[in-house]
Structures are given as C-alpha cells and as structure tokens.
Amino acid sequence: MPLSTLCLRCGLCCDGTLFTHVPLQRTEAGPLKALGLPVREREDGTPILPQRCAALDGRTCTAYAQRPEGCRRYHCNLFSALAEGEVSLEEALSAVDGAHALRAAGGEREEALGDYLDRHFRGRHRR
Ligand code: SF4
C-alpha cells in the first residue's frame, strides 16, 4: 500500500528529525514504560516520549500496535499530499530520500534540511 510504503521508507517523524518529543496522555505513560520506552515528564508533569524514539528500529516502529495517540493521529504533509493524490508515490519517496540525503551529508547541506523539511513535511507540500 503506498501510504505504508512511504512511512516505512521515511521514519523522520520518529527519529528526532521532525520532532523532539511526542506529547502523551497520562494514561499512556505506564503502558509505554512497561514496553521499556523512556517516558519523561515536562515541568508541569505532562508525560512525553523523547525522540529519536527508542521504539524505532531502522525506520520501523516496533511498538506499532501500542503506539500512543499522538503517533496515531499524526500525518505529515507529504503523507496528506500522497493520500489526496497531489503527489505520486514515486515523487513522495523521492522527497523522503532527499531529506535523508541532506541529513546524512552534514555541513552546509544539513543547514538546508530545515527549509527542506518545512517545504515537504511541515508546511503545505510544494514541489
Ligand atoms: S511509538 Fe512508534 S510511531 Fe510513536 S514515535 Fe515511537 S517509533 Fe514513532
């Protein structure tokens, strides 16, 4: 299925590239700790799941069936663009590969990563 193909090739919303943490509902903290995941708390006591997520293996979530609501609800803009037929799977995978390449390159190219993520993943997807 194209949408799962995209997510399994990506992982940017779980590996610390797009987010520093996932906000959790208080009832989610215990079950995630029981899975061995390092749940932390904000100053106000709100639980969070730090990113890069410890449940991520390569680009795959190993806690998929028990993942928190914040993970279930989140769709990046590239995902939405693919779901709505605004981009093809090939174009979406190319955008994902471009992000990973910028991150891997480091140096000046890595500085371009923030704009690239804004353009393809955070804001409205633009080609
Ligand atoms: S629990 Fe799974 S979906 Fe949620 S951040 Fe961790 S790896 Fe990603």
Side-chain angles (χ1 to χ4, degrees):
M1 175 186 181
L3 292 169
S4 60
T5 299
L6 177 67
C7 294
L8 288 170
R9 175 101 150 243
C10 183
L12 294 170
C13 62
C14 307
D15 70 2
T17 301
L18 284 168
F19 300 105
T20 58
H21 64 274
V22 175
L24 300 175
Q25 298 169 10
R26 289 184 190 279
T27 54
E28 293 176 319
L32 291 174
K33 284 181 187 173
L35 291 175
L37 299 180
V39 173
R40 304 281 182 257
E41 288 188 355
R42 288 177 168 151
E43 284 184 7
D44 66 1
T46 307
I48 59 171
L49 183 61
Q51 309 287 279
R52 169 187 182 101
C53 185
L56 196 62
D57 180 11
R59 297 179 188 176
T60 303
C61 175
T62 60
Y64 195 74
Q66 297 117 310
R67 70 196 188 285
E69 191 61 26
C71 303
R72 292 175 191 275
R73 279 200 320 263
Y74 178 71
H75 292 154
C76 73
N77 283 291
L78 185 59
F79 181 101
S80 298
L82 178 61
E84 292 166 17
E86 294 175 12
V87 295
S88 67
L89 178 60
E90 186 178 47
E91 290 170 319
L93 293 176
S94 175
V96 165
D97 290 347
H100 282 285
L102 282 173
R103 201 183 57 180
E108 288 181 13
R109 292 197 70 209
E110 190 171 12
E111 290 176 17
L113 179 60
D115 178 58
Y116 190 92
L117 294 174
D118 286 346
R119 200 151 28 96
H120 293 288
F121 297 87
R122 294 182 177 128
R124 190 71 190 157
H125 178 78
R126 301 191 307 272
R127 293 185 208 193

